[in-house]
Amino acid sequence: MVPEGATKGEVIYLSRNGKQFRNFSVFDEVFIKLAEIVTQHKNYPSNIKSVIFDGEVISKDKKFDNLMTQLQRHGEIDSEIFEFNIFDIPTPKDSLK
């Protein structure tokens, strides 16, 4: 799911239920670079204007309480404590026609 009005170079973090998280921008630069690489790949559909990375933010120390505390923060999460694991880069089915 890509929110309407998303612009080039914008990274939007969504839960599986569509809730937007606004405190993960510490990962933005990496995702923007990855999106550029993905969209330049010869097998990526040229009609797709966005990239979806399916994954999760995890606490490096594997403590779920640390993750939940950070999710409630209004500021940035601590990038020294967390990492984003990518599982998949799905393409919308309608782009494969």
Side-chain angles (χ1 to χ4, degrees):
M1 160 176 41
V2 178
E4 275 190 46
T7 61
K8 182 176 181 172
E10 180 180 19
V11 179
I12 300 171
Y13 301 90
L14 299 173
S15 72
R16 67 182 66 168
N17 297 322
K19 178 182 176 182
Q20 187 170 350
F21 293 103
R22 301 184 186 279
N23 56 349
F24 293 143
S25 64
V26 296
F27 303 117
D28 285 3
E29 188 176 323
V30 172
F31 280 118
I32 291 168
K33 288 179 184 176
L34 283 173
E36 289 171 1
I37 293 168
V38 168
T39 56
Q40 292 172 6
H41 190 276
K42 65 180 180 177
N43 292 331
Y44 197 78
S46 61
N47 62 326
I48 300 297
K49 305 298 182 210
S50 60
V51 179
I52 298 170
F53 295 102
D54 182 13
E56 68 181 359
V57 173
I58 63 167
S59 172
K60 290 179 183 177
D61 64 8
K62 309 296 186 221
K63 293 183 180 175
F64 187 71
D65 289 343
N66 284 345
L67 176 61
M68 297 312 294
T69 299
Q70 290 285 314
L71 287 176
Q72 303 305 316
R73 292 179 66 179
H74 294 288
E76 291 299 313
I77 65 167
D78 185 344
S79 62
E80 297 298 315
I81 298 173
F82 297 94
E83 60 188 30
F84 194 103
N85 289 332
I86 298 172
F87 304 133
D88 194 14
I89 305 173
T91 53
K93 290 179 182 169
D94 61 347
S95 69
L96 303 175
K97 293 180 183 176

